[in-house]
Amino acid sequence: MKKILKVGFWEFIARIVLKNRLAILCIIALITIFLGLQWKNIQFSFTEANLLPDDNNVNKEYNAFLDKFGEEGNLIVVGVKDDAFFTPKAFAAWNKLMTQIKAQKEVDLVVSINDLKQLKKNDSLQTFELLPFVDVQKTADKNYLQRIKKDLFENMPFYEGLLFNKKNGSIRSAIYLDKKIVNTAHRKDYIVNDFIPKIEAFEKETGIDLRVSGMPYIRTLNAMSIVNEISLFIGASLLLTSLIFFFFFRSFRATLIAILIVVVGVMWTFGLLGLFHYQITVLTALVPTLVIVIGIPNCIFLTNKYQQEYSAHGNKAKALQRVITKVGTATLMTNLTTAAGFATFIITSSELLKEFGIISSLSIIALFFLCLIVIPIYYSYQPVPKAKHLEHLNRNYTRVFIAWIEKTVKYNRRYVYVVAIFLFLVSIMGALKIKTSGSLIEDMPKNTGFYKDIVFFENEFEGIMPLEITVDTKRKKGVMKLSTLRKMDEFQETIEEIPELSKPISILNLVKYSKQAYYNGNPEYYELPTSQEQSFILSYAKNATKNSKNNIMKSYVDSTGQVARITTFMRDIGTGNMAKIEDKLWAKANKVFPKDRYNVVMTGKALVFEKGTQYLLDNLVSSLLFAVLLISLLMVFMFRSFKMVVVSLIPNLLPLMITAGLMGYFGIPLKPSTILVFSIAFGLSVDDTIHFLAQYRQELTHNNWKIKKSVFATIRESGISMFYTSVVLFAGFSVFMLSDFGGTVALGGLIAITLAFGMLSNLMLLPCLVLTLNKSLANKQEFIEPKIDILQHDNEENDSQKLL
């Protein structure tokens, strides 16, 4: 401790690093090996992102639903809209395909036209029998197939909306997977290696285009797209940022060590995911790329400082020491503020966001230490920089840019303020236009085949995202009471009136079909039985549902007969529309089902996701305020001046407001992906502020507290590094725009734009504010240098030579 107080904290760190180079490199290698061994624990998420806290009431209701009825997202649908379907060749191929799928152990039930069952009355047994709808031996006859088509469309209302669309002539099959594999890796193996090849074989044999959708299928292909994009983002960001790095420094050695550092950082990130047993989700998949995008600017800043120091005095040892001692505090604070921007997600109750916040913030802090330690050690073993490596410090384009900044700040401060105020007011008007979106599929890659199939099923069958309603009658066998069925019928009529929802499926459908079957299949009797008919028709229906594995209705009443389930499917709609639909359904439910006799619950994946989006929106302001507070406290610690903190926040909040305005004007909605923009961008944008103010603080002491001289010296000294790092960050986040996922594209583009405005704001608006408020901000009593600041020692040169 005495040594630290005697020489200064960062000089002490510099001595440790430069005196123990090999030992430190060995420690880094051991950490890398240890975290590399944790990769075996990495798993990919097999479910949709759940943004709600585990103890949220919506989650509790959804989990209770799963406990009672099992996984609801186990349906795969295969659709076709082709006149050639009802021909002998195509129908035979379809029969073969469905038979093969049905034979798989991963499949629980297949409902398809080729082996469709119809209810027939058996008076002797007082029950209904399930008899084949299609005589397979006659399917070689084209005329027979046409009669089957007509009979299906006109006389089988039970299957309308489930297996066919009467208006458009579309046909589909319902394939229910074993619920035990739906949320496991086995689901992916089955769909990719078995299911899809069979679909492709049918298409090749018949020339008929099949449409496939359903949550298990969508989840699988969507997850594969995410995995493929991880390597795309890592490769593209590494290539692009490395090329920019080389363009700035024109040094293969400098570029090589920067690449090596960020690659090790990426390895550590994956190791942390494995160490904590976190799954790779749509959010955590972004972290490795973030490590590269944030790591390269760290390398730029430290490398640039080393070369600046060496160019100033030609002493390699002193330059290496000053890389740590002069910029240690600023670099630490910039990384802490960046980490803080991500760490704000830890305070949410959502496990998904917590994991993202923990992994990203830990990765950024670990990356800081890698950069601060490895770069000085690396250059200590390398020859001194050549003249060509230092040319970038005086390149014409950088001189021109910095000179323009200086001139603007010096002579046009008034115009800077006018432009800033104008942008702020215009942005406020744009921000008021922002809409929200809670769509489960909106961010999915729109150029993929499975997304086009989603659109097909939305147009033909009113969507594929399940919305579940359960009706608890509060008494055993209460579901099959005629009074309950009538209430369910009235409620389902409301569902059918909503264009965004599909025809509902429930035990009610079977009861209506039972009456139709009782009257020899006459479709005019597809309705609820009367009071006089209920005793014998309902007894037939109850007998028909016993011990039948192929009973499609077995999952629509619980084992006690107390709780009924109503399933409908939703189109892709936004949060606002979902809320309107929900209000309409609740209004009808409360009217039809008295609360003292019934308990109605609305749930399902689509609703959970929409509520998760709303939860994020509700917490957006608090998360951003927490980020501002946390970063402000860090800056108070660094600058010991509350006025300086206020001044530093203004140039960073303006870019956020501009981004919000652009979202409003260009119709980019607030959704889970774009909500992240504000906290992340704020944490990154503040980095430039800290670089500027840290250098400004040093310049004040060197220039005898002369404000103007210090400000312009700061622009010249830090302007190049701020420009370089901002360019890299802009290009790095732009890589996300290569994504097929709309949310990732919006995230990357919006953060890139925010950082570009942030750089200009910190290089122009911030120094203007400092100059305008110079008397207050330069008060030595308020602007005290913290204890960890750099101490200038007379024997610095002698000490630095002893380190190597």
Side-chain angles (χ1 to χ4, degrees):
M1 181 60 69
K2 288 182 179 179
K3 278 188 176 181
I4 299 176
L5 293 175
K6 183 179 178 182
V7 301
F9 177 79
W10 289 110
E11 285 192 354
F12 177 73
I13 295 296
R15 287 187 177 188
I16 291 177
V17 170
L18 296 173
K19 280 186 175 181
N20 302 279
R21 292 173 290 176
L22 288 176
I24 290 173
L25 290 176
C26 288
I27 292 172
I28 291 173
L30 289 173
I31 293 173
T32 305
I33 292 171
F34 169 74
L35 290 176
L37 294 174
Q38 305 305 311
W39 285 26
K40 65 180 183 293
N41 299 322
I42 294 176
Q43 294 182 336
F44 294 93
S45 174
F46 297 105
T47 61
E48 294 83 11
N50 189 341
L51 302 169
L52 288 171
D54 291 338
D55 59 354
N56 186 277
N57 192 52
V58 175
N59 256 344
K60 288 181 178 179
E61 290 178 343
Y62 181 66
N63 290 329
F65 170 84
L66 296 182
D67 291 339
K68 190 172 293 292
F69 293 103
E71 172 61 45
E72 40 99 35
N74 67 326
L75 172 65
I76 296 179
V77 287
V78 181
V80 58
K81 187 178 182 181
D82 195 313
D83 293 336
F85 178 80
F86 285 98
T87 59
K89 179 183 177 181
F91 200 85
W94 181 265
N95 183 43
K96 176 184 173 183
L97 171 66
M98 291 300 143
T99 302
Q100 289 176 339
I101 292 174
K102 189 176 182 179
Q104 298 298 308
K105 65 181 184 297
E106 293 85 359
V107 176
D108 188 35
L109 173 67
V110 174
V111 183
S112 180
I113 291 173
N114 59 293
D115 64 349
L116 193 64
K117 307 297 182 183
Q118 60 180 335
L119 284 178
K120 291 289 186 180
K121 182 173 63 171
N122 186 323
D123 290 324
S124 60
L125 298 176
Q126 288 193 338
T127 186
F128 294 115
E129 295 178 324
L130 287 169
L131 300 178
F133 176 67
V134 177
D135 187 345
V136 179
Q137 296 180 350
K138 297 181 180 180
T139 54
D141 183 355
K142 184 177 180 181
N143 293 328
Y144 174 75
L145 291 177
Q146 292 301 316
R147 289 199 302 272
I148 288 295
K149 178 182 178 181
K150 182 180 179 182
D151 193 16
L152 177 71
F153 281 18
E154 294 181 0
N155 300 323
M156 303 287 281
F158 175 72
Y159 292 107
E160 186 177 356
L162 177 65
L163 294 186
F164 66 89
N165 182 326
K166 188 175 181 179
K167 294 179 181 178
N168 301 330
S170 305
I171 301 290
R172 72 175 179 181
S173 285
I175 301 166
Y176 294 87
L177 295 187
D178 183 352
K179 294 175 180 178
K180 295 177 182 177
I181 73 161
V182 169
N183 292 324
T184 68
H186 192 166
R187 181 200 72 207
K188 175 196 169 187
D189 294 336
Y190 167 70
I191 289 176
V192 174
N193 300 323
D194 197 338
F195 181 78
I196 292 178
K198 286 182 172 61
I199 296 295
E200 291 174 345
F202 173 88
E203 292 178 329
K204 185 176 180 181
E205 179 182 352
T206 63
I208 294 176
D209 182 26
L210 294 185
R211 306 286 189 159
V212 184
S213 197
M215 296 313 296
Y217 182 80
I218 293 172
R219 288 177 187 173
T220 300
L221 271 63
N222 199 49
M224 290 172 62
S225 298
I226 293 172
V227 173
N228 293 336
E229 288 199 347
I230 292 177
S231 55
L232 170 67
F233 291 154
I234 291 176
S237 60
L238 192 59
L239 176 63
L240 184 59
T241 55
S242 299
L243 287 174
I244 295 173
F245 189 99
F246 180 77
F247 175 77
F248 286 154
F249 292 101
R250 305 297 169 90
S251 170
F252 285 107
R253 289 180 300 174
T255 307
L256 179 64
I257 190 58
I259 292 174
L260 180 62
I261 287 171
V262 295
V263 167
V264 172
V266 169
M267 293 176 66
W268 284 18
T269 296
F270 281 117
L272 289 171
L273 283 168
L275 182 65
F276 295 136
H277 294 273
Y278 290 164
Q279 293 181 334
I280 293 182
T281 63
V282 68
L283 290 182
T284 52
L286 302 177
V287 179
T289 307
L290 291 172
V291 167
I292 294 172
V293 173
I294 294 169
I296 292 293
N298 275 348
C299 295
I300 286 177
F301 190 74
L302 294 168
T303 302
N304 195 59
K305 189 63 180 177
Y306 166 63
Q307 293 183 354
Q308 281 180 335
E309 288 292 331
Y310 181 80
S311 178
H313 49 67
N315 187 323
K316 175 184 174 182
K318 186 198 292 188
L320 289 172
Q321 186 182 21
R322 285 190 171 182
V323 167
I324 298 175
T325 59
K326 275 201 166 185
V327 299
T329 300
T331 310
L332 173 62
M333 298 304 290
T334 56
N335 281 270
L336 282 178
T337 53
T338 301
F342 291 94
T344 55
F345 302 117
I346 299 175
I347 68 169
T348 66
S349 301
S350 169
E351 287 300 316
L352 184 78
L353 291 176
K354 275 185 180 178
E355 291 177 6
F356 175 66
I358 290 170
I359 291 298
S360 54
S361 54
L362 286 179
S363 297
I364 290 166
I365 297 302
L367 188 67
F368 158 71
F369 285 108
L370 270 177
C371 295
L372 191 70
I373 292 170
V374 174
I375 284 181
I377 292 177
Y378 175 78
Y379 284 115
S380 70
Y381 288 110
Q382 295 296 317
V384 298
K386 296 179 182 179
K388 66 177 183 178
H389 298 146
L390 304 177
E391 288 177 358
H392 71 94
L393 298 173
N394 295 297
R395 283 201 193 114
N396 186 55
Y397 69 85
T398 53
R399 286 204 315 270
V400 170
F401 176 70
I402 297 302
W404 175 72
I405 294 291
E406 280 192 73
K407 182 179 178 182
T408 303
V409 172
K410 187 179 291 185
Y411 301 111
N412 298 304
R413 246 183 289 166
R414 186 178 301 171
Y415 295 112
V416 171
Y417 292 144
V418 169
V419 170
I421 293 171
F422 173 76
L423 288 174
F424 180 76
L425 295 176
V426 171
S427 298
I428 287 178
M429 290 188 288
L432 296 175
K433 300 176 182 289
I434 295 180
K435 297 180 180 179
T436 59
S437 171
S439 167
L440 191 60
I441 64 173
E442 182 181 22
D443 284 342
M444 290 182 181
K446 293 180 173 53
N447 59 348
T448 57
F450 76 86
Y451 185 86
K452 294 174 182 175
D453 287 351
I454 291 173
V455 175
F456 170 83
F457 283 104
E458 286 207 336
N459 293 334
E460 301 295 323
F461 294 95
E462 285 86 36
I464 46 84
M465 294 181 294
L467 176 65
E468 305 283 357
I469 299 105
T470 60
V471 180
D472 185 352
T473 62
K474 298 184 179 181
R475 56 192 183 278
K476 289 185 178 181
K477 299 182 181 180
V479 171
M480 296 303 287
K481 298 289 184 182
L482 188 58
S483 59
T484 300
L485 294 172
R486 285 173 176 169
K487 292 179 184 297
M488 289 175 61
D489 191 29
E490 186 178 349
F491 182 71
Q492 288 190 190
E493 287 177 359
T494 300
I495 294 177
E496 292 186 38
E497 292 171 0
I498 300 174
E500 293 86 359
L501 299 180
S502 69
K503 182 180 178 181
I505 305 169
S506 72
I507 191 65
L508 183 69
N509 301 62
L510 179 62
V511 173
K512 289 182 176 181
Y513 191 24
S514 299
K515 180 173 179 178
Q516 179 188 352
Y518 187 82
Y519 287 100
N520 301 315
N522 188 338
E524 293 182 3
Y525 288 95
Y526 183 75
E527 60 187 10
L528 278 177
T530 63
S531 302
Q532 293 76 19
E533 297 167 330
Q534 66 170 319
S535 58
F536 50 92
I537 289 181
L538 290 184
S539 65
Y540 273 61
K542 289 174 184 176
N543 291 333
T545 60
K546 290 180 180 178
N547 303 320
S548 177
K549 181 181 183 297
N550 293 325
N551 176 19
I552 192 176
M553 289 291 113
K554 66 180 180 178
S555 295
Y556 285 88
V557 180
D558 75 329
S559 57
T560 65
Q562 177 175 318
V563 182
R565 168 188 176 189
I566 302 172
T567 298
T568 181
F569 295 92
M570 293 174 51
R571 292 178 181 271
D572 179 27
I573 56 178
T575 304
N577 291 331
M578 180 64 214
K580 292 176 183 177
I581 291 173
E582 194 179 354
D583 290 343
K584 190 171 184 178
L585 291 177
W586 274 121
K588 187 66 175 181
N590 292 332
K591 180 181 178 182
V592 172
F593 299 104
K595 291 185 178 181
D596 58 328
R597 294 170 52 200
Y598 298 93
N599 182 36
V600 179
V601 172
M602 210 173 298
T603 186
K605 279 290 183 187
L607 188 65
V608 171
F609 189 83
E610 187 269 333
K611 295 295 184 183
T613 301
Q614 194 60 51
Y615 172 81
L616 277 188
L617 292 175
D618 293 341
N619 286 272
L620 171 61
V621 175
S622 59
S623 296
L624 189 57
L625 288 177
F626 180 77
V628 172
L629 176 63
L630 186 58
I631 291 170
S632 298
L633 290 175
L634 290 171
M635 296 177 75
V636 166
F637 171 76
M638 184 176 184
F639 298 116
R640 301 296 200 270
S641 170
F642 284 102
K643 291 180 181 178
M644 185 61 76
V645 171
V646 173
V647 167
S648 65
L649 288 178
I650 294 173
N652 294 293
L653 293 177
L654 177 61
L656 296 185
M657 184 56 69
I658 293 173
T659 300
L662 290 174
M663 289 175 66
Y665 286 123
F666 288 98
I668 302 173
L670 275 175
K671 49 189 176 181
S673 50
T674 55
I675 287 172
L676 303 177
V677 168
F678 298 97
S679 295
I680 295 174
F682 182 73
L684 289 167
S685 181
V686 170
D687 290 357
D688 281 342
T689 304
I690 293 176
H691 283 313
F692 185 92
L693 294 179
Q695 186 65 40
Y696 173 62
R697 181 184 58 196
Q698 292 179 15
E699 294 297 336
L700 277 175
T701 57
H702 295 160
N703 293 301
N704 241 355
W705 293 84
K706 294 180 179 177
I707 304 296
K708 289 185 179 180
K709 188 175 181 180
S710 298
V711 167
F712 294 116
T714 300
I715 293 174
R716 288 189 293 271
E717 184 75 14
S718 295
I720 294 176
S721 290
M722 291 168 65
F723 172 71
Y724 285 177
T725 54
S726 295
V727 168
V728 172
L729 286 170
F730 180 87
F733 277 101
S734 297
V735 164
F736 289 125
M737 298 179 73
L738 297 173
S739 173
D740 289 328
F741 293 82
T744 307
V745 172
L747 177 72
L750 290 172
I751 291 180
I753 290 171
T754 307
L755 294 177
F757 279 111
M759 177 195 69
L760 293 173
S761 184
N762 280 298
L763 278 176
M764 299 174 73
L765 182 58
L766 178 59
C768 287
L769 289 170
V770 172
L771 286 171
T772 300
L773 305 172
N774 60 64
K775 291 182 180 180
S776 174
L777 296 175
N779 188 319
K780 295 184 183 181
Q781 298 303 315
E782 289 189 347
F783 199 40
I784 302 170
E785 296 189 42
K787 292 180 181 178
I788 62 171
D789 255 352
I790 305 125
L791 302 175
Q792 299 296 327
H793 297 281
D794 294 333
N795 61 347
E796 184 183 34
E797 289 192 25
N798 293 331
D799 287 347
S800 62
Q801 294 296 345
K802 295 176 184 178
L803 294 177
L804 302 182

